Amino acid sequence: MKLLRYLLTALFLFTSALFVCAQGIKWFEVEPGIWKAVIGKPESFDLLKASGAIAAHAGLADMDKATFPLAESDITAKIIDGKTYLHFPLSRAEQLYGFGLNFQTVQQRGKILTLHVDNYDGKDNGRTHAPTPFYISSKGYGVFVNSARYIQVYAGTAVRTDSKNPPVLQDRNTDDNWSARPYADGVDLLVPAEGVEVFVLGGPTMLDAVRRYNLLSGGGCLPPRWGLGFTQRVQRLSTAADVLKEADAFEEKGYPLDFIGLEPGWQSKSYPCTFEWDPGRFADPSAFVRDMLKRNVRLNLWTNPYISPEASIAKAIAGYTGSHSVWVGAVADITIPKARDIFFGELSKNKIDIGISGFKIDEVDGGDEYLWPDVATFPSGHSAEQMRQTYGLMMQRYVTEQYRRRNQRTFGLVRASNGGGSSFPFVIYNDYYNHRDFITALTNSGFAGVLWTPEVRDSKNAEEWLRRFQSNIFSPMAMINAWASGTKPWTFPEVAAQVKAMAGLRMQMMPYWYSEFAKYHFKGIPPFRSMVLEDGFGNHEQSKNINDANLEANPYGKLITREVKDQYMAGEYLLVAPMFTGETSRKVILPKGNWYDFYTGKYAGNGEVIEVTPGLDKIPVYVKDGGIIPLMPAMLHAPKAGQKVDIEIRYYGNRPGHYLLYDDDGETFDYEKGAYSFREIKVEFKEGKIKGTISAPAKGKPNTVGKVTFKKVG
Ligand code: GAL
C-alpha cells in the first residue's frame, strides 16, 4: 500500500514537473519591453496584488523597443513537491545586481540568498528591509519574480551535472585558481508555491531594465516639493512646547526646515501603540499642528502598526487581527477591507484630518525575535510568511491612499518594502549605523525600486557629524533622526557653519531634485543609483576576485570581491563620492567623458581614477560634461503650492547642455491628470560666452518659474 502511494506520488510529481518543461514557458509581452510568464498555478496573493501597482503604460510605451533578451529555451521551470523551481541562464562574463536593498555588496553573482523581509543584521544574505525579487544582468535585462514568499536564490552558484557549460575541473593540490564556488551557468530560484508569475524586463541597457521594472510598478514616487527640503526628527517624549521651540530655533539660527518628525511620545502609549495623542504632552493637537503650519513646518508621526489593547480601536478591530501579538499588540490583517477601514480610519482621525503630513512606519520588517512568527495565522487566510513579505508594502499603499483621497501628496518613512513598491512616497531607514554601508545601500536602492536615507543620528566627533551630514544631503531624504540623541544640526559647533551651508545647498538644489524625482516617476529612472548604470563606467564593473590563499582563515578559498560601492550617481548629472571619518583623501572613478568639479567647475578627469583631497568642508561631487543643475535661492522652507521662485541654471563643461525642468503645483496629485510640464533648457558655451534658453511655460499648466539666469561654472 505504502509502496503504491509512493509510486503514485512519484508519478504525479514527475508528470507535473514534465508538464511545465514539455509545454515550455510561454512569454507574453504584457507591456512594451516586458514579458510575463505564468508558471503552474500562481497564488492569488503576490507582490503586485499587495502593492496594487498598475503599470505606467505611457512611460513604457515611450521607451525604445526591446527584444526578448534571452533564449527562451534556456529558461526552465518545474513544479515539484509544491515548489516552483526556476532556472535562468547565465553566461560566464555576466554580472548580477539587485536582489533587494543590500548594504555591503553591489555585485550579487556568487550569492546564495533567502529573500526575506527583515531588519538588516549585518549580512547580505537576502534578509533585508526590501528583499525585492528583481535582478539585473550586466547583459542588460532584468528578471522579476512576483511572489510574496521567501524565495531561495542561487545566483550563479548551483552547478548542474548536465550543464552544457560546466566549470573547469581543477585540482586543489596544484591549481591556484581552484575555487570553492566554481562557475555555474544559471540563476536558480526556488519559490515555495505551486506556481508563480515571472517577468523578464528588456534592455538593451541595465538602466533600461531598471526603468521598466519601476514603470511596471507604477513609476517611481513623486514627493511633494516640501519632502525634498530638510527634516528633523525630535527626541522621543518631546512635548508640543518642545517641538515649537525646536522649530523656532531652526528659524532663528537660519537652518532650513520643512517638516519635523515626532518619535514615540506623541501617542498616549507606544510599543504597542494607541494611535491617540497623549493629552499631557499634546493637549490640543489641532492647535499645535496649526501653530507649526504657521511656521511653515509640517509634521510627520512615528508609529508602528501594533495595536495596544488600550487603543480605542482595539475592540472594533479584534475580529480582524492575527493569532499572535507583537509586544502584546494586535496585528491587523490589513488585507481585509474592514480592518483597513478601522486602522487607517484611526490614522486619519485627528491626525491626517488635522494636517499631519505623513508617517514613519516603523518595525514592519522584523526581526524574528519580536515580529509575529511564521506559525501565526491571519483571518484572511494569508500566511504569516506572505504577511511578513508584504506588510510594509501594504502600509505604504494604504497610507498613500488616505492622502490621495484628499488630493494631497505625502512623503514619509518606512522600514520595509518589497517588489511593486516603487511608486510609494516612502524612504527606507534603519537602526544600523555604518556610514560606508549606508552609502552602499544608497547605490543599491536604485536596483530595488526603493528610496533609502543614510540618516544622521549622532556622532563621535564633529568630523563624523559633518561627513555623515554631507552624504545625507545628497540622498532622497535629508534628515537628522534625533529620536534618542536629541542632536540638532548645530550640535557640533566646530562644524555648525558647514552643516548650515550644506543644508542651504539642499534647498538650493530643490529644482534639480524635484525634476529628477519627476524623471523617476514618468521615466522610471532612479534618482539615486549605482555607478554601473552609468554609461562609460563599464571598465570597472568587473570584480577583481582575489583568492585568499590563507588556508587556515579561508579553507574553502572563498573569493574576495573588490567592487565600487562608495560612490554613486545622484540625478542625471552628478557623481557623489562621500568622504568617511578619518579620511583626508579618496579615490574617485570617473566614467568616460569629461567630468567637472561641482563647486568650482574645474576639469576633473575623463575615464580615470583620480585621487582627491577635498578638505573637511566638502563632499566630492562631479558633474558630467554639459551638465545642467537648476538652483533656487536657499530658502528656509520649500516654496508653497504655486509660489514662483527664481532659477539659476548652472552649466558645466563644454558640450551642449540639455535639461528637462519639471514643474507642477508641488503638492497635489493633479500632475496625474496632466497638470505639469517639463520645460526644456538648452545651454551652449562658445567663445567664452554662455547662451541659454528655456522653453516657454506650457499654457494652462502650473508655472512656478520666476526669473531665469544662466551661469557657467568654472
Ligand atoms: C526604531 C527606529 C528609530 C526610532 C525608534 C523609536 O525602531 O528605527 O528610528 O524611531 O524606533 O523608538
Side-chain angles (χ1 to χ4, degrees):
M1 189 61 200
K2 239 186 181 171
L3 183 71
L4 185 67
R5 209 182 315 144
Y6 171 79
L7 283 173
L8 282 174
T9 316
L11 187 71
F12 170 74
L13 290 178
F14 180 70
T15 44
S16 57
L18 218 65
F19 177 74
V20 182
C21 299
Q23 296 244 318
I25 301 173
K26 289 212 167 66
W27 294 97
F28 297 96
E29 190 168 8
V30 287
E31 287 288 342
I34 301 181
W35 292 264
K36 176 170 129 174
V38 177
I39 316 278
K41 285 199 202 87
E43 296 179 289
S44 57
F45 187 68
D46 56 34
L47 295 174
L48 293 180
K49 297 245 170 53
S51 71
I54 297 167
H57 179 74
L60 286 162
D62 215 32
M63 290 181 69
D64 289 342
K65 274 209 161 52
T67 48
F68 193 80
L70 296 162
E72 287 188 27
S73 57
D74 287 348
I75 308 171
T76 62
K78 287 184 264 195
I79 296 159
I80 303 173
D81 192 20
K83 293 182 185 138
T84 305
Y85 293 58
L86 296 171
H87 173 85
F88 284 85
L90 190 62
S91 61
R92 227 165 251 277
E94 220 169 329
Q95 188 47 264
L96 300 171
Y97 302 95
F99 292 120
L101 188 64
N102 285 299
F103 285 77
Q104 295 179 340
T105 53
V106 180
Q107 299 177 353
Q108 300 305 317
R109 186 166 185 159
K111 290 276 191 67
I112 298 170
L113 308 162
T114 304
L115 303 181
H116 187 309
V117 168
D118 204 343
N119 193 9
Y120 184 70
D121 197 23
K123 277 198 194 114
D124 284 2
N125 56 11
R127 282 189 172 242
T128 182
H129 307 271
T132 316
F134 171 53
Y135 71 87
I136 305 103
S137 153
S138 56
K139 278 179 126 180
Y141 65 86
V143 174
F144 171 54
V145 180
N146 180 22
S147 166
R149 293 281 175 187
Y150 305 147
I151 303 173
Q152 287 278 120
V153 178
Y154 297 88
T157 54
V159 185
R160 300 189 304 175
T161 50
D162 65 351
S163 169
K164 289 193 191 85
N165 304 295
V168 182
L169 178 68
Q170 281 176 331
D171 174 15
R172 193 180 177 186
N173 289 337
T174 52
D175 290 336
D176 282 349
N177 288 329
W178 181 90
S179 165
R181 299 209 184 163
Y183 161 83
D185 68 349
V187 178
D188 292 270
L189 303 117
L190 186 61
V191 184
E194 286 180 329
V196 70
E197 261 183 25
V198 186
F199 294 85
V200 165
L201 301 104
T205 69
M206 286 202 279
L207 182 59
D208 290 332
V210 168
R211 289 180 60 190
R212 289 186 212 275
Y213 166 77
N214 286 328
L215 292 168
L216 176 71
S217 307
C221 75
L222 180 61
R225 274 202 178 88
W226 57 261
L228 300 175
F230 188 78
T231 179
Q232 171 82 8
R233 302 203 70 85
V234 299
Q235 199 162 20
R236 65 193 274 273
L237 301 174
S238 291
T239 64
D242 296 335
V243 178
L244 288 163
K245 215 169 110 198
E246 190 144 339
D248 288 342
F250 270 77
E251 188 83 25
E252 272 158 35
K253 292 175 190 286
Y255 287 78
L257 181 64
D258 267 300
F259 59 112
I260 273 188
L262 303 187
E263 288 286 320
W266 69 268
Q267 300 181 51
S268 52
K269 297 215 169 132
S270 309
Y271 292 89
C273 296
T274 58
F275 314 102
E276 289 153 41
W277 293 92
D278 180 75
R281 288 182 286 270
F282 296 89
D284 187 347
S286 305
F288 166 61
V289 176
R290 266 201 313 276
D291 281 351
M292 290 293 288
L293 289 176
K294 264 188 229 146
R295 290 164 167 80
N296 295 309
V297 181
R298 289 174 166 79
L299 284 159
N300 173 289
L301 299 180
W302 168 94
T303 197
N304 62 46
Y306 310 119
I307 306 161
S308 166
E310 293 172 29
S312 62
I313 57 165
K315 246 205 191 127
I317 210 154
Y320 307 101
T321 55
S323 60
H324 289 64
S325 64
V326 179
W327 298 305
V328 201
V331 184
D333 186 339
I334 54 174
T335 65
I336 301 175
K338 181 74 186 160
R340 290 204 293 271
D341 287 349
I342 300 169
F343 188 82
F344 295 97
E346 178 60 37
L347 289 191
S348 295
K349 198 174 95 195
N350 252 340
K351 271 84 66 187
I352 304 177
D353 286 349
I354 61 169
I356 290 299
S357 71
F359 291 87
K360 167 176 169 177
I361 302 159
D362 207 15
E363 286 130 350
V364 280
D365 42 359
D368 291 354
E369 61 288 348
Y370 64 76
L371 210 76
W372 63 85
D374 283 353
V375 294
T377 55
F378 286 84
S380 61
H382 292 112
S383 69
E385 175 183 358
Q386 292 172 314
M387 294 298 272
R388 176 106 177 226
Q389 295 295 71
T390 59
Y391 213 86
L393 204 55
M394 292 191 289
M395 285 296 293
Q396 295 176 71
R397 172 180 179 181
Y398 297 118
V399 166
T400 309
E401 205 175 271
Q402 291 294 328
Y403 283 97
R404 181 180 289 278
R405 236 178 247 175
R406 294 164 172 83
N407 196 20
Q408 186 189 331
R409 274 182 253 172
T410 178
F411 200 41
L413 291 144
V414 71
R415 233 172 61 183
S417 195
N418 210 330
S422 313
S423 75
F424 298 135
F426 286 84
V427 183
I428 302 178
Y429 64 96
N430 70 4
D431 290 335
Y432 184 75
Y433 200 47
N434 181 311
H435 190 190
R436 275 184 185 279
D437 291 358
F438 270 20
I439 299 308
T440 303
L442 196 51
T443 76
N444 280 324
S445 62
F447 293 129
V450 297
L451 301 171
W452 159 259
T453 175
E455 67 175 28
V456 186
R457 296 205 286 268
D458 202 357
S459 291
K460 283 191 277 314
N461 53 40
E463 180 195 359
E464 184 192 336
W465 184 251
L466 182 55
R467 288 309 191 199
R468 283 184 179 273
F469 199 89
Q470 287 168 341
S471 46
N472 184 244
I473 288 304
F474 288 88
S475 86
M477 193 178 274
M479 168 173 81
I480 292 177
N481 176 12
W483 78 276
S485 60
T487 48
K488 322 263 188 272
W490 50 88
T491 289
F492 291 87
E494 310 93 294
V495 294
Q498 289 95 322
V499 165
K500 192 169 169 176
M502 287 308 295
L505 178 62
R506 172 78 183 191
M507 297 306 285
Q508 277 187 286
M509 289 178 72
M510 197 172 275
Y512 180 70
W513 298 130
Y514 197 53
S515 298
E516 295 308 313
F517 268 95
K519 290 164 201 170
Y520 186 34
H521 177 70
F522 289 101
K523 297 172 189 282
I525 303 170
F528 297 91
R529 58 192 187 276
S530 163
M531 293 306 307
V532 302
L533 296 177
E534 186 61 23
D535 277 350
F537 193 75
N539 291 347
H540 300 275
E541 124 196 345
Q542 301 295 338
S543 68
K544 285 200 187 72
N545 290 327
I546 305 145
N547 222 336
D548 182 349
N550 184 338
L551 289 176
E552 286 281 0
N554 191 9
Y556 287 99
K558 228 174 151 180
L559 298 180
I560 299 166
T561 302
R562 275 204 194 130
E563 54 184 352
V564 182
K565 52 186 184 178
D566 60 356
Q567 61 177 76
Y568 57 94
M569 292 300 297
E572 188 169 352
Y573 287 122
L574 298 181
L575 185 165
V576 183
M579 299 288 294
F580 303 101
T581 316
E583 282 182 356
T584 48
S585 67
R586 65 158 291 165
K587 288 196 166 62
V588 181
I589 302 172
L590 298 174
K592 282 200 197 104
N594 291 337
W595 289 82
Y596 298 85
D597 183 282
F598 173 67
Y599 308 96
T600 63
K602 230 177 104 193
Y603 174 76
N606 176 340
E608 61 194 291
V609 182
I610 57 169
E611 177 92 19
V612 293
T613 312
L616 185 60
D617 298 357
K618 291 214 167 85
I619 172 172
V621 179
Y622 301 92
V623 191
K624 217 188 274 187
D625 197 0
I628 284 175
I629 313 292
L631 300 182
M632 69 171 204
M635 293 155 59
L636 292 188
H637 311 283
K640 296 209 178 75
Q643 183 184 341
K644 275 203 162 57
V645 290
D646 294 344
I647 303 280
E648 179 184 279
I649 292 163
R650 294 213 177 154
Y651 164 81
Y652 293 78
N654 295 297
R655 272 175 62 157
H658 181 261
Y659 194 72
L660 292 174
L661 180 73
Y662 179 72
D663 200 6
D664 68 8
D665 65 27
E667 290 185 12
T668 74
F669 285 96
D670 291 355
Y671 65 91
E672 290 182 347
K673 296 181 217 115
Y676 71 90
S677 63
F678 277 106
R679 290 179 63 181
E680 195 174 12
I681 295 172
K682 284 187 187 157
V683 179
E684 274 188 46
F685 187 68
K686 270 192 196 145
E687 288 148 17
K689 272 208 185 116
I690 185 166
K691 189 175 157 250
T693 55
I694 178 164
S695 62
K699 268 218 182 92
K701 310 278 175 176
N703 173 16
T704 70
V705 179
K707 206 171 114 216
V708 178
T709 49
F710 293 86
K711 183 181 169 182
K712 162 95 164 97
V713 185

